[in-house]
Structures are given as C-alpha cells and as structure tokens.
Amino acid sequence: MPRAITAFSNPLIKRVRSLRDKKHRREEGLFLAEGLRILTEAREAGFIPVYIFFAADSAAHPLVQQLIDTVEAKGGEAIETSRDILHKLSGKDNPQTVIGVFESFTLPLSSIDRRQAPIWLVAQSLRDPGNLGTLLRTGDAVGAGGLILIDDCVDPFSVEAVRATMGALFTQKIATARWEDFLVWLRQGEGDLIGTSLRATQDYQEPRYQTPSFVLVGNEAQGLPDSYEDACDHLVKIPMMGRADSLNVAVAGAIMAYEVLNQQRKSR
C-alpha cells in the first residue's frame, strides 16, 4: 500500500529533491522523470521507477493506478503526497501529478551492438538539454538504436533533458565515450560515419550511405573540430537558401537521419 508523506522536512523528500543537482544524480545513480505520459512510456519500455510520487487526486486515473501497482510489484515504493511537495521535487510552478525516480542507465560502447539498428546518432560536446531531447526523439522516430554522447556533453538525466525527450529517453540506448575510444570502436566493425560541415563540398543527398550509419553532430556554437570532420567517411553540407549560415544542431541531425532513413527505405 502507498504511504503518505506530507512534510517538506521528510528525509526522502530532501534526498529526491537533491537529484535536481548533477552531483547528487551521479552519487546516487538516480534521476527524476515527471508526468504520466513519460512514466507510462518508461513502463512500456521496461523501465520501472524505484519510487513513484503522486498527488492524491490523481490516484483514481487508471494509468496512475497501473504505475503504482507495477512499482509495488517490482519492489519499489509508491508515495502519496501533496502538490506543494511535487512542486518542491520538480521545481516547476505547475508540477506534474506523477514523478518517478529511476536508476540511471548510460552504457559503455562495448555493450552496444551496432547490428541492432540501421541508424545511430552521435553528438559531440552537446550542451543544450533541449537539443539532446530532440535528438533522442528523432532517434525514436527514425528507428535508430540510440545516441552516443562524445566527450563532455550535457547530462541526459538532468530534469530539463528528461522533459525534452518526452519519453524517448526510455526507448533509445544512450552510450558515452571519448572521441578516440569511439573511433577505435567504430572502425572495428561496419558502418559509415557521416558529419555535416560548412566547409564540406558535397551535398547531403549525394552519397549512398551504408548500414549502419552513424550521424555525427557537433557542439552548438563551434560545430565539429577539424580532426573529427577529417575522420568522417562522408562530410556533407545541407543547403542554406536564405541568409542564415547554419541550422540548429538538432534540426541538422534530424535532416540527416531522415535522409539516411529514406535511402534505406528505397533500397529495400
């Protein structure tokens, strides 16, 4: 049976609230996810929270009750609380009525099987949680295997990043690696590394991309370092017909991912 917590001073409330900080997420190996839709998608993908907090007036919703039952059946804890405490946990003025605490699940490259999917997204030194969320949603949309984060990227388990994924965090594998380790791993098997660059001379629709394809995007402000571009099997450009000289990094990644997908669909 769910227990009730109504005191802001409760040790568990303080502990969970601390997960909004990267340092505490790393120490605990836990992160927050908010909202009925995200938690339902997590459950459908096989991810069950360690704790689920819910407002009393939301317990009658059948999906909320299913989540509560699943968490308790798997040995987790369901906690009924107030909207004020949910606000304290989430930091939002209008918090969701359901918040889950999950175990973090980034993977080493050695556990990634590139043959499981025809497309993989790769991001180098990504800084914006919204861009990370969009890339994960794009990966889900095109049937990618996951997102490989290269060098020092934004934390995929920050509250902002988790919100931005709208559930795709739980449908895509996430791996982390340094660039040199990624290159060694990449060249041990099949696959094209595809990067976009303003200095490229080839249009993005010209090459025929192999399967699997690794779509590489760089830092929002600086793009890819020259040495990273030089390592790409295909370095291409997306035409810019107006006055802007570049696209948002997540938009560019989506365009490239769909070009790869379209080529693969036509070749079937």
Side-chain angles (χ1 to χ4, degrees), residues 12-176:
L12 181 59
I13 298 301
K14 291 182 177 180
R15 179 186 173 203
V16 171
R17 186 175 185 275
S18 75
L19 298 178
R20 289 163 55 186
D21 182 81
K22 184 177 182 178
K23 174 178 178 288
H24 292 289
R25 287 195 298 274
R26 287 187 171 179
E27 289 175 350
E28 297 268 6
L30 300 171
F31 71 96
L32 295 172
E34 308 169 48
L36 182 56
R37 174 180 174 179
I38 289 180
L39 266 64
T40 299
E41 292 196 9
R43 179 175 60 84
E44 291 174 351
F47 292 89
I48 310 301
V50 179
Y51 299 101
I52 183 171
F53 295 82
F54 62 95
D57 58 358
S58 69
H61 194 293
L63 289 178
V64 174
Q65 191 58 56
Q66 287 177 24
L67 285 167
I68 292 170
D69 293 343
T70 303
V71 169
E72 292 183 329
K74 296 294 184 179
E77 188 172 7
I79 297 162
E80 181 181 305
T81 192
S82 67
R83 289 183 181 269
D84 286 342
I85 289 181
L86 290 175
H87 164 70
K88 188 178 184 69
L89 295 180
S90 73
K92 293 178 67 177
D93 291 335
N94 296 303
Q96 300 282 346
T97 58
V98 185
I99 295 177
V101 178
F102 291 83
E103 294 180 345
S104 304
F105 49 82
T106 52
L107 303 170
L109 277 178
S110 58
S111 67
I112 295 292
D113 182 358
R114 70 185 72 200
R115 297 168 298 180
Q116 288 185 338
I119 303 172
W120 296 83
L121 301 182
V122 187
Q124 185 265 334
S125 295
L126 201 68
R127 290 289 182 263
D128 184 81
N131 286 332
L132 184 142
T134 300
L135 285 171
L136 283 171
R137 291 168 63 189
T138 296
D140 181 87
V142 301
L147 175 64
I148 301 171
L149 299 173
I150 302 296
D151 300 335
D152 298 317
C153 288
V154 62
D155 182 2
F157 301 116
S158 70
V159 172
E160 297 81 7
V162 174
R163 285 175 189 155
T165 71
M166 297 183 67
L169 177 74
F170 298 101
T171 66
Q172 294 284 286
K173 290 183 172 62
I174 301 176
T176 59

Side-chain angles (χ1 to χ4, degrees), residues 185-206:
W185 174 84
L186 179 69
R187 299 312 178 193
Q188 289 174 343
E190 296 181 347
D192 278 351
L193 182 60
I194 307 161
T196 59
S197 172
L198 294 176
R199 69 185 181 100
T201 58
Q202 192 173 40
D203 185 87
Y204 78 110
Q205 292 185 323
E206 289 181 25

